Amino acid sequence: MKKYLLLLTFPLLLNACKNTSEEKPSVEVIVNKSYDKIVSLQWLLGTWVNENEAEFSQETWSKENDSTYTAYSFVEHNGEVVFAETMALEQKASELLLTVATANQNDEKPVTFKLVTSENGHFTFENKNHDFPQRITYTNPVSDSLHAWIEGTIKEETKKMDFYFRKKN
């Protein structure tokens, strides 16, 4: 009798263990988001200033999240703000983009520049379709200084403007 009972329960056990659902086995996907390009510009974070007798300039960078830094920059001349802009530095997939919105320029629309080179500590962003500048470069020659410049062509003449800042403590 035990033999028959064992023979009857064995097929029942096999049937119970069989997966009869039509679900596909789940596959765990691990997404490793790497923001190595924006991290290489982490030295930008903080407040940078440049001042002389008549003019004061400041650029302040903040980290919004792992893929985005934002900045506000302005120039005061004799106590009056004569220039102001906001910037966003964003890593999207493998691209690093610098978007600049300048008051009273470009119909108040932001302009985006794409990182084209990051050699020797010079980070150059380019937008060949923009009137001026077509390139923006940031570099950190020593730990407490920032040298930035904009360049491009105006009426077939090459122009370059340099900006020097020191880190505000």
Side-chain angles (χ1 to χ4, degrees), residues 20-111:
T20 58
S21 76
E22 293 184 22
E23 290 181 40
K24 294 179 181 174
S26 66
V27 176
E28 186 175 331
V29 177
I30 299 172
V31 177
N32 182 14
K33 291 190 177 183
S34 173
Y35 299 110
D36 57 329
K37 289 189 180 192
I38 198 165
V39 167
S40 65
L41 279 158
Q42 191 169 9
W43 57 265
L44 267 177
L45 300 175
T47 299
W48 302 87
V49 295
N50 182 1
E51 56 189 315
N52 58 42
E53 301 81 39
E55 195 170 271
F56 174 79
S57 302
Q58 180 172 305
E59 191 165 298
T60 302
W61 285 91
S62 303
K63 181 178 179 177
E64 296 300 314
N65 56 51
D66 289 344
S67 65
T68 306
Y69 300 163
T70 58
Y72 176 69
S73 180
F74 66 91
V75 177
E76 283 183 1
H77 186 71
N78 294 325
E80 182 182 332
V81 175
V82 294
F83 176 84
E85 66 185 0
T86 58
M87 295 172 278
L89 183 60
E90 301 174 278
Q91 183 168 343
K92 293 184 177 181
S94 64
E95 291 187 330
L96 194 56
L97 305 172
L98 176 64
T99 302
V100 181
T102 305
N104 303 318
Q105 291 183 12
N106 303 308
D107 297 324
E108 306 293 325
K109 293 178 182 161
V111 178

Side-chain angles (χ1 to χ4, degrees), residues 11-23:
L12 289 173
L13 281 172
L14 281 177
N15 196 32
C17 293
K18 192 190 221 180
N19 184 0
T20 58
S21 76
E22 293 184 22
E23 290 181 40

